[in-house]
Amino acid sequence: MRLSSLALVLSVLGGALAQDTSLVEVKRAFDDALIPGNISLSFDPKALLEVTFPQPAGRPIILKAGVQLPRNATAGPPTFSVVGSVGRGPFVVAAVDLDAPTPQIRTSAQIRHFLGGNFVFESIRTPLLLTNTTPALSEFRQPTPPAGSDPHRYVFLLFEQSRAFNTQTLVNSTTSIAMFSIGNFAKAVGLGQPIGGTFMLVGPPPA
Ligand SMILES: *[C@@H]1O[C@H](CO)[C@@H](O)[C@H](O)[C@H]1NC(C)=O
Ligand SMILES: *[C@@H]1O[C@H](CO)[C@@H](O)[C@H](O)[C@H]1NC(C)=O
Ligand SMILES: *[C@@H]1O[C@H](CO)[C@@H](O)[C@H](O)[C@H]1NC(C)=O
């Protein structure tokens, strides 16, 4: 086998192995990383949320819960897909940094890195892919952990959208992204508990 095709096979295998495939494992990873307590939500996923980061060169990266990525692989914006039976939506997707400015001193957490609703399955060609039919309340922001910080936990969550979501006034495009609480937001807007999620660790770029 030529080296290039061997590399391709390995990267395809790696891609297949690298993403979440088990709800039990995703739940365990959330519990091990103490995420449910930190977001004040219980986490009993009934579907896999696939978060995919396109890469400038090479294959996109699909998160596996707890994976650590170099910051420069997280420019995004990511796309979201759902594996599991969750109905037709609409859905809300949120992403928060639990560890700002550092995991030891989390005084500005959570930072809202994405919040969008009216996500639906739109395309017959890509039936698992979510598309948002309205602009996000907070567009995706790339992780920017400060120099010297340990890696932060960036958590992505999928919710069934409530009726109240489209008339909520808590968050708009000009609301500060710092000191956010996805747990409080979910409670206020009636989103209930997340039905899926995953997370990544991202540290500052090497000095
Ligand atoms: C939040 O997570 C941190 C670990 O980063 C942990 O030390 C702390 O106990 C957690 N808090 C709760 C309420 O789960
Ligand atoms: C990220 O940086 C590393 C080290 O500088 C480099 O090898 C890699 O190609 C970069 N990746 C992207 C997606 O820019
Ligand atoms: C955004 O919300 C703030 C209150 O949090 C409000 O003062 C402001 O007018 C809102 N902006 C828009 C564009 O709706």
Side-chain angles (χ1 to χ4, degrees):
M1 196 185 287
R2 293 221 324 274
L3 200 57
S4 58
S5 43
L6 177 64
L8 183 64
V9 168
L10 287 177
S11 75
V12 168
L13 265 179
L17 293 174
Q19 70 198 74
D20 290 322
T21 53
S22 153
L23 292 176
V24 173
E25 279 179 25
V26 174
K27 179 173 166 50
R28 189 181 307 135
F30 268 63
D31 289 342
D32 288 351
L34 306 174
I35 291 170
N38 276 195
I39 59 176
S40 306
L41 290 167
S42 56
F43 186 69
D44 290 294
K46 59 178 188 177
L48 295 169
L49 176 64
E50 280 188 352
V51 177
T52 303
F53 281 91
Q55 300 301 309
R59 293 167 56 78
I61 295 175
I62 306 176
L63 297 192
K64 181 178 178 67
V67 69
Q68 182 162 350
L69 294 186
R71 177 178 183 269
N72 67 357
T74 62
T79 58
F80 307 113
S81 298
V82 179
V83 181
S85 68
V86 290
R88 297 176 54 195
F91 303 97
V92 170
V93 176
V96 289
D97 173 2
L98 305 188
D99 295 316
T102 72
Q104 289 76 21
I105 308 170
R106 301 186 284 122
T107 44
S108 49
Q110 301 155 14
I111 307 289
R112 192 170 63 252
H113 278 259
F114 182 81
L115 182 61
N118 300 300
F119 276 97
V120 293
F121 301 107
E122 208 175 47
S123 160
I124 294 169
R125 274 183 46 232
T126 51
L128 306 179
L129 183 69
L130 290 175
T131 307
N132 55 348
T133 54
T134 56
L137 298 172
S138 292
E139 292 295 352
F140 180 74
R141 297 175 67 100
Q142 183 176 10
T144 52
S149 173
D150 287 336
H152 293 199
R153 296 166 293 168
Y154 294 87
V155 181
F156 293 82
L157 298 168
L158 175 72
F159 296 90
E160 269 157 6
Q161 187 168 315
S162 59
R163 251 171 212 285
F165 182 83
N166 279 331
T167 53
Q168 67 81 31
T169 54
L170 298 170
V171 173
N172 62 38
S173 58
T174 62
T175 318
S176 169
I177 60 169
M179 311 289 289
F180 180 63
S181 164
I182 187 58
N184 288 348
F185 181 82
K187 214 156 288 157
V189 178
L191 296 179
Q193 309 300 320
I195 59 170
T198 191
F199 69 103
M200 63 182 177
L201 303 175
V202 181

